[in-house]
Amino acid sequence: MSGDLKYKIQHDFDRIALLNPQRWDHNNHYHSFLLSQLPIEGNTVLEIGCGTGEFSRLLAQRFERVIAIDLSPKMIEVAKQHSRQFPNIDFQVADILQWQFPKEKFDTIASIATFHHLPLENLLPCLKSALKPEGKLVILDLIEYTYPKDIVIDIISVAFNWIFQKLKNTNSKPTKEEIQAWREHGLTDEYPTLIEVKNIYQKFLKQAKIKKHLFWRYSIVWQK
């Protein structure tokens, strides 16, 4: 990742952190699914790209210690404000590509909507090394549907997005500033296709379970 792009991403999410209230979205829709892939309890978990700490707080109810990292200082600031009742979360402002990974430290490493920003060929070996034997890597990230193959799932995603927005976000609608912030951030985002996802993960993580989901998402579950 170039320095300019890293600065742009940090700046975007510093801005979004102050505009983004808790509401249903395409990421927290899959929190239950991700938790179902993890042990009921454990010692230490690393979350990469924790944002405002919504998933971190769920992890903190299962794990003795949560290390939650984000590039955005404002995201970490908001996360700390919302997580005072969870002293077992260690929020850190850091560039994960420069972070010093301990060897065989974590029972679980999790990430949501972050890996499309990162060079996975550099990151995945570090994650493998940092997991304990039998530790789990659980990832949810964005995918680009391909056509005409994915036209049905795309139509279903659009329809269900409209339904869930109406049912779950009736009292919390995004402001014009929030919509504009996400739109401007999206101009620099690039998402892989499912074939590209499979190629990169299967190169480094043999027998990884790769699943395509609604709402332009995919998941990876891999056990060391």
Side-chain angles (χ1 to χ4, degrees):
M1 183 192 303
S2 69
D4 288 345
L5 179 57
K6 183 171 74 172
Y7 175 79
K8 171 69 165 55
I9 292 170
Q10 177 185 325
H11 174 77
D12 287 350
F13 283 103
D14 279 346
R15 177 186 180 189
I16 289 167
L18 304 178
L19 301 171
N20 192 22
Q22 297 298 314
R23 64 166 72 92
W24 176 88
D25 61 32
H26 299 156
N27 294 323
N28 60 30
H29 179 80
Y30 291 104
H31 281 181
S32 295
F33 166 78
L34 296 174
L35 290 172
S36 72
Q37 309 303 312
L38 301 180
I40 299 299
E41 58 185 10
N43 292 322
T44 308
V45 57
L46 171 66
E47 184 185 6
I48 299 171
C50 64
T52 58
E54 186 178 0
F55 193 60
S56 310
R57 292 185 285 276
L58 297 177
L59 293 171
Q61 298 174 43
R62 292 195 180 195
F63 291 85
E64 294 180 11
R65 186 183 183 208
V66 179
I67 299 176
I69 292 176
D70 202 279
L71 184 64
S72 163
K74 289 297 182 182
M75 283 287 184
I76 293 295
E77 181 181 326
V78 173
K80 288 181 176 179
Q81 291 172 358
H82 292 168
S83 308
R84 293 190 179 99
Q85 71 274 37
F86 295 103
N88 59 327
I89 305 179
D90 175 13
F91 287 109
Q92 299 181 18
V93 178
D95 178 355
I96 196 63
L97 298 177
Q98 303 297 324
W99 200 65
Q100 295 299 311
F101 284 91
K103 185 175 178 60
E104 296 188 351
K105 171 72 174 180
F106 302 107
D107 300 284
T108 293
I109 298 176
S111 183
I112 298 176
T114 298
F115 276 28
H116 63 280
H117 294 302
L118 302 171
L120 297 183
E121 64 276 8
N122 297 332
L123 182 61
L124 291 178
C126 297
L127 303 186
K128 288 177 65 175
S129 176
L131 278 172
K132 294 178 181 179
E134 300 186 4
K136 273 194 170 183
L137 176 65
V138 180
I139 300 163
L140 181 78
D141 213 282
L142 287 85
I143 193 172
E144 181 179 337
Y145 291 158
T146 54
Y147 299 94
K149 180 180 179 181
D150 290 327
I151 190 169
V152 174
I153 192 172
D154 192 21
I155 292 171
I156 294 172
S157 293
V158 171
F160 273 88
N161 175 67
W162 185 86
I163 292 170
F164 278 111
Q165 293 286 357
K166 291 294 183 181
L167 292 177
K168 295 181 178 290
N169 292 335
T170 53
N171 298 320
S172 178
K173 296 182 179 180
T175 64
K176 290 182 179 179
E177 187 176 2
E178 184 182 346
I179 293 171
Q180 183 64 24
W182 278 111
R183 182 178 291 123
E184 291 178 8
H185 171 69
L187 294 176
T188 57
D189 267 0
E190 294 183 4
Y191 309 126
T193 65
L194 186 64
I195 291 176
E196 291 169 336
V197 166
K198 288 181 176 180
N199 287 341
I200 187 67
Y201 282 100
Q202 290 176 348
K203 178 180 178 180
F204 292 98
L205 307 176
K206 302 299 183 184
Q207 298 181 329
K209 297 178 181 178
I210 303 171
K211 184 177 181 179
K212 181 166 59 178
H213 297 272
L214 290 175
F215 307 127
W216 309 275
R217 297 298 187 271
Y218 72 91
S219 64
I220 300 288
V221 179
W222 179 76
Q223 187 165 23
K224 188 173 180 179

